[in-house]
Amino acid sequence: MLVVGMLATASTALLLNGAAFLIPALQDQRGLSLAGAGVVVAMPTTGIVLTLFAWGAVVDRIGERRALVAGSALTAASAFGAAFSADVVPFALFLLLGGMCAASVNSATGRVVVGWFPPHRRGLAMGIRQMSLPLGVAMSALTIPALARDHGVSAAMLLPAIAAAVSALACVVAVYDPPRPSRAAASSAALLRNPYRGRTDLWRIHAASVALVVPQYVVWTFALVWLIDRRDWSAAAAGVVITVAQICGAVGRMVAGAVSDRVGSRLGPMRAVSVLVVLTMAALAVTDALNTGVAVVVAVVASVATVSPNGLAFTAVAERAGPFWSGRALGAQNTAQFVAASAVPPTFGAVITHSSYAVAFGVSAAIALLAVPIVPRER
């Protein structure tokens, strides 16, 4: 079930994050500006924002398996619709619908991990599950730019469509809802207790995650274009570098989860990684401003650092919310992150257009700095 959960998350990443790698093709083949292409590729993350909390409530009510099967099938249908859309407007609308359907995977796969793994192994298991997102981005970087360049944007969209369809079939076969207390047997107080009332830890984890997701999406969205435009790399070579960086980031998520199991804390490692994100993004801004080749190495390190906190925050939220609220809490966690993420492509595309990549990297480092004092202390 962990493997199938990874497959489901990776297949949605091909749509949600792989869309960013269509920017060069959208500029060349459909005549969009960088800011305009940024708006189009932000549609999947905009869509996921609209339905994450709702899907979390659905998972709380009907279970993980049904939500995964339905969401993956609908994501596949939306991606196929985008693949056969020749005009920009319907293409963007199908991307929006795909994001709305893909939201089912986030809460459901997170609950599968939290439900089936004990606390002392949960951080590593969630880290492995979270590996699927950068691995999906790595696969996107390796395949989507070349497919879009050689065969067109529509052909590139067939990859996430097929992946989501395969994921839906795998969830039918292999996923089972984890055991949890019966709603009928649980006390009404336990069912009605809202984990957001009378405490601030969940709110602070959400806020810190929002600040940390900005540099993550700045790197994910613009690293390929940065290597091509700023460093004069070919699209193929840039795609290889992004792929390597994402694979390293996947390993980083697993290591962060294993460390959290070892030290018995999710939030202590999250705070340490937050500091690392600030330092690496600041270093990327400086090295890019100096136009030195070291900037490429720093970009790879920044790509690894920026994805590492996600699994820690995700696990901490699920553990604190409890079995009857974790779907909605994880939905709220991802909603907050994707609100920020959906604003990154158009906002930072405009910053880069009117200023520079170095300024964009520096601004994202400053935003990440806000997370360091916000991460709550373990009680």
Side-chain angles (χ1 to χ4, degrees):
M1 282 187 285
L2 181 57
V3 171
V4 173
M6 291 180 65
L7 172 62
T9 307
S11 66
T12 56
L14 289 173
L15 176 68
L16 296 173
N17 306 101
F21 299 110
L22 294 172
I23 289 178
L26 289 172
Q27 290 178 290
D28 295 339
Q29 299 173 19
R30 304 201 177 181
L32 298 179
S33 65
L34 178 60
V39 171
V40 171
V41 303
M43 287 296 102
T45 50
T46 302
I48 202 171
V49 165
L50 299 176
T51 56
L52 267 169
F53 189 82
W55 274 111
V58 168
V59 173
D60 281 339
R61 177 60 58 179
I62 69 172
E64 294 79 0
R65 184 174 184 268
R66 293 177 182 177
L68 279 172
V69 172
S72 296
L74 291 170
T75 301
S78 300
F80 276 117
F84 293 101
S85 297
D87 295 330
V88 172
V89 172
F91 179 77
L93 289 177
F94 275 116
L95 289 182
L96 180 70
L97 289 174
M100 294 172 69
C101 300
S104 63
V105 171
N106 289 65
S107 296
T109 55
R111 280 175 51 115
V112 167
V113 170
V114 171
W116 282 111
F117 287 84
H120 66 283
R121 293 180 180 173
R122 194 174 290 154
L124 175 60
M126 188 67 82
I128 294 173
R129 179 267 185 192
Q130 292 290 90
M131 289 174 64
S132 55
L133 184 55
L135 288 177
V137 177
M139 180 61 69
S140 300
L142 193 62
T143 57
I144 287 179
L147 284 172
R149 182 188 67 243
D150 298 337
H151 303 287
V153 171
S154 295
M157 287 303 302
L158 290 175
L159 180 63
I162 295 171
V166 171
S167 170
L169 292 175
C171 291
V172 170
V173 173
V175 171
Y176 297 87
D177 292 347
R180 63 171 174 168
S182 168
R183 284 183 174 269
S187 67
S188 59
L191 285 173
L192 297 174
R193 187 177 300 123
N194 186 336
Y196 289 93
R197 292 178 181 171
R199 48 195 279 198
T200 62
D201 54 340
L202 286 174
W203 293 108
R204 292 177 65 178
I205 295 171
H206 294 335
S209 299
V210 167
L212 291 171
V213 84
V214 172
Q216 176 183 323
Y217 271 78
V218 167
V219 174
W220 275 1
T221 304
F222 297 106
L224 182 73
V225 183
W226 174 72
L227 286 170
I228 295 172
D229 293 346
R230 177 73 170 154
R231 311 306 306 175
D232 296 323
W233 285 40
S234 67
V240 170
V241 169
I242 299 300
T243 302
V244 170
Q246 292 299 324
I247 292 173
C248 292
V251 175
R253 285 188 168 187
M254 183 180 66
V255 171
V259 169
S260 75
D261 285 341
R262 189 75 166 178
V263 302
S265 169
R266 315 296 180 204
L267 301 180
M270 181 179 173
R271 188 180 301 102
V273 174
S274 302
V275 175
L276 181 61
V277 170
V278 174
L279 295 176
T280 54
M281 290 306 296
L284 181 57
V286 172
T287 53
D288 179 65
L290 296 175
N291 198 25
T292 173
V294 179
V296 176
V297 177
V298 177
V300 173
V301 176
S303 181
V304 175
T306 55
V307 302
S308 297
N310 291 59
L312 300 171
F314 209 65
T315 309
V317 167
E319 289 176 333
R320 282 162 170 72
F324 297 109
W325 271 84
S326 58
R328 281 165 285 183
L330 291 174
Q333 165 78 3
N334 282 313
T335 298
Q337 287 185 295
F338 278 112
V339 165
S342 63
V344 165
T347 302
F348 281 83
V351 170
I352 293 167
T353 300
H354 298 291
S355 184
S356 67
Y357 284 99
V359 171
F361 297 148
V363 170
S364 65
I367 293 173
L369 182 61
L370 299 174
V372 177
I374 295 176
V375 177
R377 298 280 178 182
E378 289 280 11
R379 292 182 296 178

